[in-house]
Amino acid sequence: MLVENGLRVLWLARTGWMQSGIPPSLAETVSQHTFLASLIALDLFNKMRNIGKKIDENVALKMIILHDLAEGLSGDLPKWTSERISKEELEEEALSKIKLPEDLAEVVREYMRMETLEAKVARLADLMATWRMAIYYKQLGFETDDIMNSSQRESIKLAKEIGIYEED
């Protein structure tokens, strides 16, 4: 079942990039985003170890890998839409429809609650992956300032909350 859900997001382009004028052939997919966020999380784990912060890395990685799987059912909602609906209800319904094993569904719920360090680090990696892709697309000549600035601002705020932000 996990593989079937993964196949649904393998080629699902992220909506924000296409709304920024990036053609579907170049738009980052949900699965590419998950991969980049996972790599960023590994870097964040090292940083946290170096400053003495403990985190359950397995749980945080599971959150990153699993939290967007429901988009295979709901699609990647534009930010404008997700800010105007009950995203929590939609995600919970999608979670039940994709039939994740209960232990993994609980990991996704923990991520959605955003109360634990693992959830916050997973979210930070997610935001940083978006920020990095916005920089990449900007370098290619696409207008991604809105996404770049909002993901940067949210990343810095969350990194400060977690206690891993360093001023340049």
Side-chain angles (χ1 to χ4, degrees):
M1 188 55 93
L2 288 174
V3 172
E4 293 304 315
N5 289 313
L7 287 171
R8 290 187 186 122
V9 297
L10 200 58
W11 304 111
L12 180 62
R14 296 188 71 215
T15 307
W17 300 130
M18 291 189 296
Q19 289 180 327
S20 297
I22 296 157
S25 61
L26 288 178
E28 175 193 40
T29 67
V30 172
S31 62
Q32 289 168 328
H33 174 72
T34 298
F35 178 71
L36 187 56
S38 297
L39 294 176
I40 289 169
L42 294 176
D43 283 339
L44 290 172
F45 298 158
N46 284 331
K47 182 175 188 148
M48 294 180 76
R49 273 193 298 276
N50 290 339
I51 62 173
K53 286 200 172 274
K54 296 205 183 292
I55 183 171
D56 188 330
E57 296 175 9
N58 290 327
V59 169
L61 277 174
K62 284 179 183 179
M63 289 175 175
I64 292 166
I65 292 167
L66 298 170
H67 83 274
D68 283 336
L69 276 184
E71 290 182 9
L73 184 63
S74 68
D76 182 36
L77 298 175
K79 189 171 186 173
W80 186 92
T81 303
S82 65
E83 292 173 344
R84 287 162 175 78
I85 63 168
S86 175
K87 192 173 179 185
E88 296 79 22
E89 284 181 33
L90 179 70
E91 288 175 341
E92 187 59 44
E93 184 176 347
L95 256 183
S96 69
K97 294 279 188 208
I98 64 173
K99 296 184 170 99
L100 284 180
E102 187 52 38
D103 61 320
L104 297 179
E106 186 50 42
V107 168
V108 176
R109 288 185 195 100
E110 181 182 339
Y111 175 84
M112 293 185 319
R113 286 189 298 268
M114 206 52 54
E115 296 171 350
T116 63
L117 180 60
E118 289 76 13
K120 290 175 183 180
V121 170
R123 177 66 178 146
L124 178 58
D126 188 69
L127 288 166
M128 291 176 71
T130 300
W131 180 11
R132 182 60 187 93
M133 284 305 295
I135 293 167
Y136 171 74
Y137 287 132
K138 177 96 174 153
Q139 291 168 336
L140 292 179
F142 294 101
E143 177 52 50
T144 60
D145 286 346
D146 286 347
I147 294 173
M148 186 169 56
N149 293 334
S150 67
S151 57
Q152 177 186 28
R153 193 171 40 255
E154 291 177 53
S155 293
I156 291 170
K157 180 181 176 190
L158 193 50
K160 285 180 179 178
E161 181 182 328
I162 295 168
I164 60 172
Y165 180 74
E166 296 175 8
E167 297 282 339
D168 289 341

